[in-house]
Amino acid sequence: MYKTHSCGELRSEHAGQMVELAGWVHRQRDHGGVTFIDLRDRYGIVQVVADPARPEVGAIQEARAEWVLKIAGIVRRRPAGAENPNMATGQIEIEATSVQVLNQARPLPFLVNKDEDTDEALRLKYRYLDLRRERMQNNMILRHHVVKFIRDYLSERGFLEIETPMLFKTTPEGARDYLVPSRLQPGMFYALPQSPQQLKQLLMVSGFDRYFQIARCLRDEDLRGDRQPEFTQLDLEMSFVERDDVLQLVEGLFTKMVKDILPQKRLLASPWPCLTYAEAVERYGSDKPDLRFGMELYGLNEIFAHTDFMVFQNVIKSGGVIKCIVAPGCAEYTRKEVDDLTTFAREQGAKGLATLALAADGVKGTAQKFIKPEDVSAIQARTGAKTGDLVLFIADSKAVANKTLSALRLLFRDRLGLADPDVLAFAWVVDFPMFEYNAEDQKWDAAHHPFTMPKMEDLPKFETDPAQILSDAYDMVLNGYETASGSIRIHRSDIQQKVFQLLGLKDEEIQSKFGHMIEAFQFGAPPHGGMAPGIDRLLMIFAGEPNIREVIAFPKNQAGRDLMADAPSPASERQLNELQIKLDLKKAEEPK
RNA sequence: GGUCCCGUGGUGUAGCGGUUGAACAUGCGGCCCUGUCAAGGCCGAGAUCGCGGGUUCGAAUCCCGUCGGGGCCGCCA
């Protein structure tokens, strides 16, 4: 070993000990006759001091930031008055007896001893340096603690961790698959798993009634701040359980996790709130509401039932809704600020935005002249809007009104600082619809996935009104993010057939794509269900990071590229030949 | 596929039509300095303002295109 101790562990009680340390030069302070180095490893930082005139420690003066040193020396209490209360090791220092340079370092492309904003492309290109920063080290350490907690918690409760294949089968439903060509079966393709969904259900058929896996999932869709093409889920599944058994287990897991490893965070409520999908969408316009603040949506169709305002009238006539939110203290918004909100609303799909400003010197706003004074009073009574507030109306289809007002609600959350960053507002959203109609393809899609159990009492609606069928699907939401999704699964092959048929799959297709599932369910499949919390997204929220990349060691950028290794990259002629693949690139650029 | 924003020494920013021979901080190099901890002092090097084209007497600054990066919509069972 190069070292007897870590840089972070030394304290007053080590005083007098001979120690050896190895680490990176965090900072160097050269005073001529005495030179200090802050030596860093992942456990912390300790001050090393030496007189560079002595040859055996002379290297302390040559050393530059991020050089790798081995230090031998004596731990001693710092002289009175020279202690540093801001450092964990600030009571002591190492009086070096030997300073050995293990490796030099070129000046870095950016400073790692400072948490300075740096172009993210540069950070990603030199990710291994970026990961030296305290912020990223902390994120990786937190990630380890979270995953370890999960493994311990579930193991103690009888869960088995079982691995499932990365090379599996493409499925017609859901996200776009990453395909992997087969060399041994030319022209055939594996798919990388979007999740181990089918495999974990088959493990239930095998009798592993409590399974989990820290599973990598891959989806070839466009990226977002909270979405990477490969991400990690806690995949778990249980047999002989009902919905609330799964919810209780997961709620218990995260409640204890927060208590044990996130002491700086507070749960909004325990037990967690539970909303139905319908309720969440009605009150917050979203199936993943941020419950850390109010600012709920209000439906105003009754108040405007007999309005003269043509825009509102027409929307009501055509079956749409008029809903509003109240932005507290925003009545004095300027024309430009309101225009910007309107632009924002349009970007979300709304046709426009009407406002009512309850200013101190009277009611103003774009809708003022269309809204009767008694209706203003009715709106205030309904929403609690006070003088000084700005009421924002969207008149549109239910879906557009909800989506737009939900986006506006989050805009005001950030603008007005309405949400406490130290609060974790976990909540359940349950009773999702089973199917959604896909107008573009004129067919029904599974809202969650096709293995989700419809509510038994809704089974007759398969023939009459699929839109009204609810399912035993549920989401865990946290601070406005969907952080887990799950369901009770279908374990009867007849119901599974029915679902596939409604989704428009032909019998041959069902057989070729999902025959193994249907068949498995005929060999004694137990009732089962589970869910899959997204580890990266949870960590992003736990760490207070603005995007998911900050909690992933080597993430992709928005274009799905790894800027460090420069992936993806072209395959060689030979590789393609072995796979019997010919490229047919439509867009000009040939790979070089 | 669409849309918006960003791109100035190694890094982070300022400058946004002409006293700017592009400024400041930090980093880098040299010298001085025995107690600092974002050490300090002095000196120095370092950017043709992502790239290409245009407008103009004059462009880092305005316009168009392009490349790179980010946010959002679509997409994400």
Side-chain angles (χ1 to χ4, degrees), chain A residues 149 153 247-257 272:
Chain A
F149 182 91
Y153 188 94
L247 301 194
Q248 272 169 30
L249 176 95
V250 174
E251 181 165 336
L253 167 73
F254 285 105
T255 299
K256 185 153 194 299
M257 179 190 290
W272 303 352

PDB file of all heavy atoms in Angstrom, chain A residues 149 153 247-257 272:
ATOM      1  N   PHE A 149     -28.541   0.896   0.434  1.00  0.00           N
ATOM      2  CA  PHE A 149     -29.690   0.873   1.329  1.00  0.00           C
ATOM      3  C   PHE A 149     -30.793  -0.015   0.741  1.00  0.00           C
ATOM      4  O   PHE A 149     -31.408  -0.812   1.445  1.00  0.00           O
ATOM      5  CB  PHE A 149     -30.228   2.297   1.540  1.00  0.00           C
ATOM      6  CG  PHE A 149     -31.379   2.351   2.497  1.00  0.00           C
ATOM      7  CD1 PHE A 149     -31.158   2.552   3.842  1.00  0.00           C
ATOM      8  CD2 PHE A 149     -32.684   2.166   2.049  1.00  0.00           C
ATOM      9  CE1 PHE A 149     -32.222   2.574   4.740  1.00  0.00           C
ATOM     10  CE2 PHE A 149     -33.742   2.179   2.931  1.00  0.00           C
ATOM     11  CZ  PHE A 149     -33.512   2.383   4.286  1.00  0.00           C
ATOM     12  N   TYR A 153     -32.236  -3.233   2.598  1.00  0.00           N
ATOM     13  CA  TYR A 153     -33.629  -3.173   3.050  1.00  0.00           C
ATOM     14  C   TYR A 153     -34.423  -4.326   2.462  1.00  0.00           C
ATOM     15  O   TYR A 153     -35.163  -5.010   3.162  1.00  0.00           O
ATOM     16  CB  TYR A 153     -34.236  -1.833   2.627  1.00  0.00           C
ATOM     17  CG  TYR A 153     -35.606  -1.543   3.194  1.00  0.00           C
ATOM     18  CD1 TYR A 153     -35.746  -0.810   4.377  1.00  0.00           C
ATOM     19  CD2 TYR A 153     -36.761  -1.968   2.543  1.00  0.00           C
ATOM     20  CE1 TYR A 153     -36.992  -0.518   4.888  1.00  0.00           C
ATOM     21  CE2 TYR A 153     -38.020  -1.685   3.058  1.00  0.00           C
ATOM     22  CZ  TYR A 153     -38.135  -0.955   4.229  1.00  0.00           C
ATOM     23  OH  TYR A 153     -39.381  -0.669   4.745  1.00  0.00           O
ATOM     24  N   LEU A 247     -47.395  -0.821  -2.497  1.00  0.00           N
ATOM     25  CA  LEU A 247     -47.211   0.586  -2.124  1.00  0.00           C
ATOM     26  C   LEU A 247     -46.613   0.701  -0.726  1.00  0.00           C
ATOM     27  O   LEU A 247     -45.717   1.515  -0.490  1.00  0.00           O
ATOM     28  CB  LEU A 247     -48.547   1.337  -2.181  1.00  0.00           C
ATOM     29  CG  LEU A 247     -49.273   1.362  -3.529  1.00  0.00           C
ATOM     30  CD1 LEU A 247     -50.379   2.422  -3.518  1.00  0.00           C
ATOM     31  CD2 LEU A 247     -48.332   1.627  -4.683  1.00  0.00           C
ATOM     32  N   GLN A 248     -47.102  -0.135   0.192  1.00  0.00           N
ATOM     33  CA  GLN A 248     -46.591  -0.053   1.563  1.00  0.00           C
ATOM     34  C   GLN A 248     -45.118  -0.416   1.629  1.00  0.00           C
ATOM     35  O   GLN A 248     -44.341   0.211   2.342  1.00  0.00           O
ATOM     36  CB  GLN A 248     -47.393  -0.975   2.479  1.00  0.00           C
ATOM     37  CG  GLN A 248     -48.628  -0.287   3.053  1.00  0.00           C
ATOM     38  CD  GLN A 248     -49.557  -1.273   3.739  1.00  0.00           C
ATOM     39  OE1 GLN A 248     -49.117  -2.290   4.280  1.00  0.00           O
ATOM     40  NE2 GLN A 248     -50.851  -0.957   3.715  1.00  0.00           N
ATOM     41  N   LEU A 249     -44.752  -1.427   0.876  1.00  0.00           N
ATOM     42  CA  LEU A 249     -43.348  -1.835   0.888  1.00  0.00           C
ATOM     43  C   LEU A 249     -42.463  -0.690   0.383  1.00  0.00           C
ATOM     44  O   LEU A 249     -41.462  -0.331   1.010  1.00  0.00           O
ATOM     45  CB  LEU A 249     -43.129  -3.064   0.005  1.00  0.00           C
ATOM     46  CG  LEU A 249     -41.640  -3.412  -0.051  1.00  0.00           C
ATOM     47  CD1 LEU A 249     -41.291  -4.472   0.973  1.00  0.00           C
ATOM     48  CD2 LEU A 249     -41.184  -3.770  -1.430  1.00  0.00           C
ATOM     49  N   VAL A 250     -42.841  -0.107  -0.738  1.00  0.00           N
ATOM     50  CA  VAL A 250     -42.003   0.925  -1.349  1.00  0.00           C
ATOM     51  C   VAL A 250     -42.020   2.193  -0.496  1.00  0.00           C
ATOM     52  O   VAL A 250     -40.991   2.852  -0.314  1.00  0.00           O
ATOM     53  CB  VAL A 250     -42.469   1.203  -2.796  1.00  0.00           C
ATOM     54  CG1 VAL A 250     -41.707   2.379  -3.391  1.00  0.00           C
ATOM     55  CG2 VAL A 250     -42.284  -0.037  -3.658  1.00  0.00           C
ATOM     56  N   GLU A 251     -43.181   2.504   0.072  1.00  0.00           N
ATOM     57  CA  GLU A 251     -43.251   3.677   0.945  1.00  0.00           C
ATOM     58  C   GLU A 251     -42.361   3.486   2.172  1.00  0.00           C
ATOM     59  O   GLU A 251     -41.643   4.405   2.584  1.00  0.00           O
ATOM     60  CB  GLU A 251     -44.715   3.929   1.366  1.00  0.00           C
ATOM     61  CG  GLU A 251     -44.866   5.153   2.262  1.00  0.00           C
ATOM     62  CD  GLU A 251     -46.303   5.630   2.386  1.00  0.00           C
ATOM     63  OE1 GLU A 251     -47.107   5.342   1.467  1.00  0.00           O
ATOM     64  OE2 GLU A 251     -46.620   6.288   3.392  1.00  0.00           O
ATOM     65  N   GLY A 252     -42.381   2.289   2.710  1.00  0.00           N
ATOM     66  CA  GLY A 252     -41.528   1.995   3.858  1.00  0.00           C
ATOM     67  C   GLY A 252     -40.060   2.129   3.494  1.00  0.00           C
ATOM     68  O   GLY A 252     -39.257   2.696   4.253  1.00  0.00           O
ATOM     69  N   LEU A 253     -39.707   1.639   2.327  1.00  0.00           N
ATOM     70  CA  LEU A 253     -38.318   1.698   1.864  1.00  0.00           C
ATOM     71  C   LEU A 253     -37.822   3.140   1.782  1.00  0.00           C
ATOM     72  O   LEU A 253     -36.778   3.488   2.342  1.00  0.00           O
ATOM     73  CB  LEU A 253     -38.222   1.020   0.485  1.00  0.00           C
ATOM     74  CG  LEU A 253     -36.952   1.238  -0.319  1.00  0.00           C
ATOM     75  CD1 LEU A 253     -35.796   0.457   0.270  1.00  0.00           C
ATOM     76  CD2 LEU A 253     -37.139   0.839  -1.781  1.00  0.00           C
ATOM     77  N   PHE A 254     -38.584   3.981   1.097  1.00  0.00           N
ATOM     78  CA  PHE A 254     -38.087   5.337   0.883  1.00  0.00           C
ATOM     79  C   PHE A 254     -38.235   6.209   2.136  1.00  0.00           C
ATOM     80  O   PHE A 254     -37.434   7.121   2.354  1.00  0.00           O
ATOM     81  CB  PHE A 254     -38.765   5.976  -0.338  1.00  0.00           C
ATOM     82  CG  PHE A 254     -38.231   5.432  -1.631  1.00  0.00           C
ATOM     83  CD1 PHE A 254     -38.980   4.537  -2.388  1.00  0.00           C
ATOM     84  CD2 PHE A 254     -36.957   5.762  -2.068  1.00  0.00           C
ATOM     85  CE1 PHE A 254     -38.471   4.000  -3.572  1.00  0.00           C
ATOM     86  CE2 PHE A 254     -36.440   5.227  -3.244  1.00  0.00           C
ATOM     87  CZ  PHE A 254     -37.206   4.340  -3.991  1.00  0.00           C
ATOM     88  N   THR A 255     -39.232   5.915   2.943  1.00  0.00           N
ATOM     89  CA  THR A 255     -39.370   6.679   4.187  1.00  0.00           C
ATOM     90  C   THR A 255     -38.151   6.447   5.075  1.00  0.00           C
ATOM     91  O   THR A 255     -37.557   7.387   5.612  1.00  0.00           O
ATOM     92  CB  THR A 255     -40.666   6.268   4.916  1.00  0.00           C
ATOM     93  OG1 THR A 255     -41.770   6.560   4.055  1.00  0.00           O
ATOM     94  CG2 THR A 255     -40.818   7.035   6.214  1.00  0.00           C
ATOM     95  N   LYS A 256     -37.751   5.186   5.192  1.00  0.00           N
ATOM     96  CA  LYS A 256     -36.596   4.889   6.028  1.00  0.00           C
ATOM     97  C   LYS A 256     -35.302   5.386   5.374  1.00  0.00           C
ATOM     98  O   LYS A 256     -34.391   5.875   6.047  1.00  0.00           O
ATOM     99  CB  LYS A 256     -36.499   3.385   6.298  1.00  0.00           C
ATOM    100  CG  LYS A 256     -35.370   3.022   7.260  1.00  0.00           C
ATOM    101  CD  LYS A 256     -35.675   1.746   8.015  1.00  0.00           C
ATOM    102  CE  LYS A 256     -34.737   1.537   9.208  1.00  0.00           C
ATOM    103  NZ  LYS A 256     -33.323   1.421   8.831  1.00  0.00           N
ATOM    104  N   MET A 257     -35.256   5.304   4.045  1.00  0.00           N
ATOM    105  CA  MET A 257     -34.054   5.782   3.346  1.00  0.00           C
ATOM    106  C   MET A 257     -33.822   7.265   3.629  1.00  0.00           C
ATOM    107  O   MET A 257     -32.703   7.697   3.925  1.00  0.00           O
ATOM    108  CB  MET A 257     -34.192   5.555   1.838  1.00  0.00           C
ATOM    109  CG  MET A 257     -32.992   6.040   1.042  1.00  0.00           C
ATOM    110  SD  MET A 257     -33.296   6.024  -0.734  1.00  0.00           S
ATOM    111  CE  MET A 257     -33.351   4.288  -1.065  1.00  0.00           C
ATOM    112  N   TRP A 272     -47.755   8.921   3.030  1.00  0.00           N
ATOM    113  CA  TRP A 272     -47.790   9.764   1.846  1.00  0.00           C
ATOM    114  C   TRP A 272     -49.225   9.984   1.371  1.00  0.00           C
ATOM    115  O   TRP A 272     -50.054   9.096   1.480  1.00  0.00           O
ATOM    116  CB  TRP A 272     -47.015   9.122   0.690  1.00  0.00           C
ATOM    117  CG  TRP A 272     -45.589   8.815   0.992  1.00  0.00           C
ATOM    118  CD1 TRP A 272     -44.876   9.173   2.102  1.00  0.00           C
ATOM    119  CD2 TRP A 272     -44.696   8.064   0.172  1.00  0.00           C
ATOM    120  NE1 TRP A 272     -43.581   8.702   2.005  1.00  0.00           N
ATOM    121  CE2 TRP A 272     -43.448   8.016   0.826  1.00  0.00           C
ATOM    122  CE3 TRP A 272     -44.818   7.430  -1.058  1.00  0.00           C
ATOM    123  CZ2 TRP A 272     -42.348   7.358   0.299  1.00  0.00           C
ATOM    124  CZ3 TRP A 272     -43.721   6.771  -1.594  1.00  0.00           C
ATOM    125  CH2 TRP A 272     -42.492   6.742  -0.909  1.00  0.00           C
TER     126      TRP A 272
END
